[in-house]
Each structure stands twice: as structure tokens, then as C-alpha cells.
Amino acid sequence: MNLMKLLDTICPDTKDAESKDRFYSRRDAFRQFGDFGKKVALAAVPLSVLNAIPQIAKADTATLINVLNYALTLEHLEYRYYQLGLDAGVVVAAERPIIQKIRDHELAHVRFLTEVIANVLNGTPVAEPAFDFTAGGNFSPFSDYPTFLALAQAFEDTGVRAYKGQAANVMESDVVLTAALSIHSVEARHASMIRRLRTKKGQDMVKGWITGNSIGTLPAAAAGIYAGEENLTHAGVNVSTLTGIDAAGVSEAWDEPLSMQAVLGIAGLFLKSSN
Amino acid sequence: MNKELFKPQGLIQKADRRQFLKMGSLTVAGAGLLLMGCNDDDRMPSMPGMVNLGSGDVGILNYAYALEQLEAGFYAEVMKGSYFANANAEEKTIMGDLEKHERAHREFFKVALGANAITELEFDFSSIDFGNRNAVLAAAKTFEDLGVAAYNGAGQFLTNADLLLIAGKIVSVEARHAAAIRDLINPNSVDFAGDDLIDANGLERTLNFQQVLTAASTFVKNEIDFSQLPS
């Protein structure tokens, strides 16, 4: 895809006055929404947000609810995983604060997404599924710390790709897009920390960023989590050819999205079959 | 030149913000003309030209290009300094990677923008002691955290989904960098995703154009006109 062709098709000034007004009112709503979010959980959503959001077409609202329920499913998985790990005592004492911090963020994401789906979009948040983090008896994350960290890396890197893959599907709403971006970068921080922690502990040689499509010492089943991360070409530009920077370095510099189907395939390994 | 123009956003009444931004461009242009008429004004030695980011998605990409230029310029200086020369293997690898990644981002935006690209910016990193580990890591933390907040704040203004995806592919790498740098500063702590950045809802902060460019202006010699960016 040629970027300049893309840019040629962009006509920001052709929006009619009415849609522009809607655009701005949603944006203003987000500013209040954002300020509000800093203070407390979304126990009461400002009226301005409720008034602004329904101006999105119903079909778009359905899409937003669908995407956020998908995100909520992944956040449920992450939160439950860390909580069970902490409960089981598998996390070494020195690293409990790190895992607790990540757990806290995932729980906050669960609560935030639940509130937005229910009270902003008037949808029905998905209930927490029943998980099987042994993946049918293949893993023992709650009795083996290296396995616990390895799966944590897999979940965080998957989460980053999952949010990225949905950006275009939520861009109609500035509120939802900005919230999703603000979760996405937190997941990336988690991923970087877990990856580097594993390497510092001698369990792997991965860096904070993803080199090619390398799974490091993760089990072969993790290949799908990193498939496509070796990409060097963006908007039709092969950046390695352009810059002379080696493929490893260029692949690290861009994270790649993953489709909902691929992510659910990965997450499905950890769902109880009774779901 | 006109930092007083860039008042903290909180001081500007919300209803007036768009109006302010429109006026901002006029005032900035006026100030530029005044300066041109004051060649003997020694307060402004060899001021590089005003850089206009432009409007619409091109403007947002130029904003990203400016930030990537800043980061790449910074790591290029890190490579030349005595901190890097004497750093341990882990930190050498990280700094070397970050230099490559930011240079790759910068060169990508330059080519992608083509004729619409802003000029190469001029930087002043003289306030950073590149022989001092703490100083280099503190600056790296500032730049990486700033980049994440800038991309997170600007995403909503992109109208093209493909460009949004490209920005998304970059911002998560910046967040990975930021977490690693923070962990070098305070190892095995919770600073990698600290409460100074992430709120009670688990959302990372966003910064607007004005906040980001004001922070960057400490190191960027060019005056940047962002008045045509979407608002």
C-alpha cells in the first residue's frame, strides 16, 4: 500500500457541519470522561458522555460493544491468571510487587470496560469465563514460576496485538479509541517488563521488544502469538532496505496486530471446555 | 520566542480552546514577522525557521515525525557519549536497540511523508550530560514516556485507519522502551508502569499537542507551529 495514495484520499474538510459538530461533541465528552476517570471508577458516567455517545449510529455502537466485550474477555483472562498465581504463592517474594501491580491494572481494565459497556454503550458486559490455565494439563503455571512467567509473557504480548488489531474498529468513537490506546500501551509496558524479567532470571534471551517472530524458550504452541512480527514493510516501505538497519532491529521497532480470530484461537486454549 | 503563547491548557477556558488555537497561529505568524524586522535583536541568535506541521492526517504524521526526529537525535548523541562507551553489556544492547528503532521510525516517516515532510529539526541537547548514566537514563525516560503519551493523545485525530494502525504499531514499541528504561533506573520495581502515568482505571496518560511540544521545546531549536492540527 502506498502511503501517499492514502494521504490523497484524506479529505478532513469535507465533513458536513452536522457531523463535525457531533465529532467535536464526542471529543469534548471524552475530555470530561478522561478527567472523571482519574478520580474514581465510573460509578456514575457524566450526563454529557451519555448524551454524546448515542449519536454514533446503532450499528457502530454494536461494533463497539462487540470489540469491548472481546477486550473484556482478555482482561478477565489476564486478571484471573495473575490473581491465581499470587494466591498460589508461585511468585517469588521479591517479584510479588511487580505481579501485583500488573494484576491491579488488569482488574482496573476489567472494571473500566465493564462500566463503559454497561453504562456508556448500554450493552451487556460478558461474564468472566471459566479458565483452565493448565491448557488441558499441559502447563503448571501455579506451581512452576518459570512457566508462570512464560505464560504471562504470552498473554501480555497477545494482549498488545489484540488491542492493536481492533483500533480501526473503534475509531468512530474518540472516547473508546483513546481509552483502548491508553490500555494498549499499559499492556505493552507489562509485556516489556515480563520479557526482560525472564531474561534477567536466565529463563530466556528475549528483549523487552519482539525480535522477528522468535518465541524464545516459550513452548512451540506459542508460535501463533509471534507469527507476523517479523514484518519489515509499512505502508509499502521496506524499512530495512530503506535504512540499512538489520531485519532484527527493524522488526523490533514495529509491533504487529493480530486478528480477533487468531487471538481467540490462542485464548481458547485456556478456556474450560464447558464454556 | 513565544513560550507565553503556550499557556498550560488548564488556564484556557474550554469553550475558548478552539478559538485560542486559531488565534495562536495568527499570533505566532505575527511574532515571526516582528522578529524579522528586528535583525539586531541579539536575544534570538541564529533562530532556525518556523516549522509548520500542517493539517489533517499529514499534520499528525509530521507531529510523529518531529518526535521521532527528537528521539533519534537524542540516541545518536547517547552513542557518542562516555556513558554509552562504559555501559555494561545489557545497557549497551538496550541503548543500541533504541537508537536503531528510533532512527528506523524517523526514516520511515520521512519517506512516507515525502514532499509533505517537515524539514530536519535542529536540536540542543547541551542540558544533558552524556557522560552521566543517571542523566542519560532520566532523559531517555522523559522522551519515551512523552512519545507514548503523544501517540495515545493523537490517535483520535487520525481519520485514516491504515495510518492509525501504523501509529499503533509504533506506540507499543515506545511503551516497551519506556518500561525498560524505567526498570534500568529503578530495577525490579513497579516503576515500569508507575502510578505517575497510569490512573485508577488502568489507563495511561495522554498528552495533547501543546503539552508535548512545550515539553519538547526544551530540546528543539525550531519553533513549531501546530495551529493547523485537528482539534
Side-chain angles (χ1 to χ4, degrees):
Chain A
M1 183 186 316
N2 183 301
L3 187 65
M4 294 321 296
K5 268 191 198 151
L6 277 178
L7 292 176
D8 285 345
T9 65
I10 297 162
C11 306
D13 293 327
T14 59
K15 284 181 197 280
D16 62 65
E18 197 195 344
S19 64
K20 233 176 192 167
D21 278 352
R22 280 206 302 271
F23 197 58
Y24 288 130
S25 69
R26 284 209 299 279
R27 188 156 291 145
D28 287 344
F30 177 67
R31 292 204 174 101
Q32 297 185 18
F33 188 66
D35 292 344
F36 183 82
K38 286 188 183 108
K39 287 167 197 135
V40 274
L42 291 167
V45 174
L47 195 60
S48 57
V49 173
L50 293 172
N51 287 341
I53 293 286
Q55 295 189 35
I56 303 167
K58 271 209 172 110
D60 292 335
T61 304
T63 301
L64 292 175
I65 292 169
N66 188 38
V67 170
L68 292 191
N69 265 327
Y70 162 69
L72 177 57
T73 304
L74 298 176
E75 299 290 354
H76 275 308
L77 181 149
E78 290 184 307
Y79 162 67
R80 187 57 59 195
Y81 182 72
Y82 292 114
Q83 186 61 58
L84 288 173
L86 288 164
D87 290 347
V90 70
V91 182
V92 300
E95 289 153 19
R96 277 182 74 86
I98 295 169
I99 300 302
Q100 284 166 338
K101 174 58 70 181
I102 296 176
R103 183 270 322 268
D104 290 348
H105 290 156
E106 311 302 6
L107 178 58
H109 295 161
V110 166
R111 290 177 173 160
F112 177 81
L113 291 171
T114 299
E115 288 293 336
V116 171
I117 292 165
N119 294 333
V120 179
L121 299 172
N122 294 319
T124 305
V126 291
E128 181 182 337
F131 296 110
D132 169 19
F133 291 110
T134 73
N138 285 302
F139 305 116
S140 305
F142 304 131
S143 57
D144 180 65
Y145 191 40
T147 300
F148 178 82
L149 290 177
L151 286 185
Q153 177 190 317
F155 293 145
E156 297 294 346
D157 280 334
T158 301
V160 174
R161 298 192 71 172
Y163 275 95
K164 204 186 317 294
Q166 297 306 314
N169 292 331
V170 298
M171 70 186 293
E172 173 60 23
S173 166
D174 293 343
V175 175
V176 174
L177 173 64
T178 303
L181 285 170
S182 297
I183 294 175
H184 171 246
S185 61
V186 172
E187 302 292 347
R189 285 175 182 271
H190 294 171
S192 174
M193 187 67 185
I194 296 283
R195 294 171 64 90
R196 292 185 56 259
L197 187 57
R198 293 184 63 244
T199 290
K200 282 195 272 189
K201 296 171 76 72
Q203 297 167 3
D204 210 325
M205 291 177 66
V206 293
K207 305 173 184 176
W209 23 96
I210 299 166
T211 309
N213 60 3
S214 170
I215 63 170
T217 62
L218 295 192
I225 296 170
Y226 298 99
E229 287 283 4
E230 71 279 14
N231 180 33
L232 305 177
T233 300
H234 307 281
V237 179
N238 181 312
V239 183
S240 187
T241 305
L242 171 72
T243 60
I245 297 172
D246 56 286
V250 172
S251 75
E252 291 166 353
W254 275 263
D255 279 340
E256 296 294 324
L258 210 52
S259 71
M260 193 181 286
Q261 190 185 8
V263 169
L264 292 177
I266 293 163
L269 298 174
F270 301 97
L271 291 174
K272 274 220 171 94
S273 51
S274 58
N275 275 297
Chain B
M1 171 169 67
N2 46 22
K3 285 220 177 71
E4 66 275 14
L5 282 176
F6 302 140
K7 291 173 181 163
Q9 195 187 19
L11 297 179
I12 302 161
Q13 288 300 309
K14 196 168 180 179
D16 295 332
R17 194 174 299 138
R18 247 176 287 157
Q19 186 67 27
F20 163 80
L21 289 172
K22 279 180 191 147
M23 284 176 55
S25 67
L26 293 173
T27 316
V28 167
L33 285 173
L34 277 175
L35 283 168
M36 273 190 267
C38 303
N39 288 335
D40 56 351
D41 184 346
D42 59 6
R43 287 174 304 170
M44 306 299 296
S46 64
M47 189 70 174
M50 169 79 75
V51 173
N52 188 332
L53 297 179
S55 62
D57 284 8
V58 166
I60 303 293
L61 291 196
N62 267 323
Y63 174 65
Y65 177 40
L67 293 173
E68 298 295 351
Q69 286 192 53
L70 174 63
E71 289 188 295
F74 167 71
Y75 289 110
E77 291 302 312
V78 171
M79 297 292 103
K80 295 183 213 157
S82 61
Y83 154 66
F84 179 75
N86 299 313
N88 67 30
E90 184 199 17
E91 295 186 13
K92 264 206 173 104
T93 299
I94 289 176
M95 289 296 160
D97 283 355
L98 270 46
E99 190 278 331
K100 274 196 263 188
H101 299 169
E102 305 302 0
R103 180 156 47 94
H105 293 163
R106 179 190 69 194
E107 294 306 302
F108 165 75
F109 278 118
K110 184 180 181 180
V111 166
L113 280 156
N116 290 309
I118 56 170
T119 187
E120 289 178 18
L121 301 176
E122 293 179 42
F123 301 110
D124 176 5
F125 294 117
S126 61
S127 61
I128 301 166
D129 178 357
F130 287 94
N132 181 300
R133 177 180 185 268
N134 291 343
V136 171
L137 293 181
K141 172 182 156 182
T142 297
F143 290 132
E144 298 293 349
D145 285 341
L146 186 68
V148 177
Y151 277 101
N152 280 352
Q156 63 182 308
F157 297 111
L158 285 168
T159 63
N160 182 289
D162 296 298
L163 298 180
L164 176 64
L165 178 58
I166 287 171
K169 291 179 179 195
I170 291 175
V171 65
S172 55
V173 174
E174 304 290 355
R176 291 173 187 271
H177 291 172
I181 293 291
R182 283 169 161 260
D183 189 55
L184 291 182
I185 294 171
N186 194 2
N188 295 340
S189 72
V190 298
D191 285 2
F192 68 97
D195 291 345
D196 57 325
L197 298 178
I198 296 162
D199 70 17
N201 287 318
L203 307 183
E204 182 155 356
R205 70 172 180 166
T206 63
L207 292 176
N208 64 30
F209 305 124
Q210 187 177 310
Q211 292 167 318
V212 169
L213 292 172
T214 299
S217 68
T218 307
F219 307 98
V220 180
K221 286 175 152 179
N222 312 67
E223 203 67 33
I224 295 181
D225 178 357
F226 62 98
S227 61
Q228 292 171 268
L229 290 186
S231 62

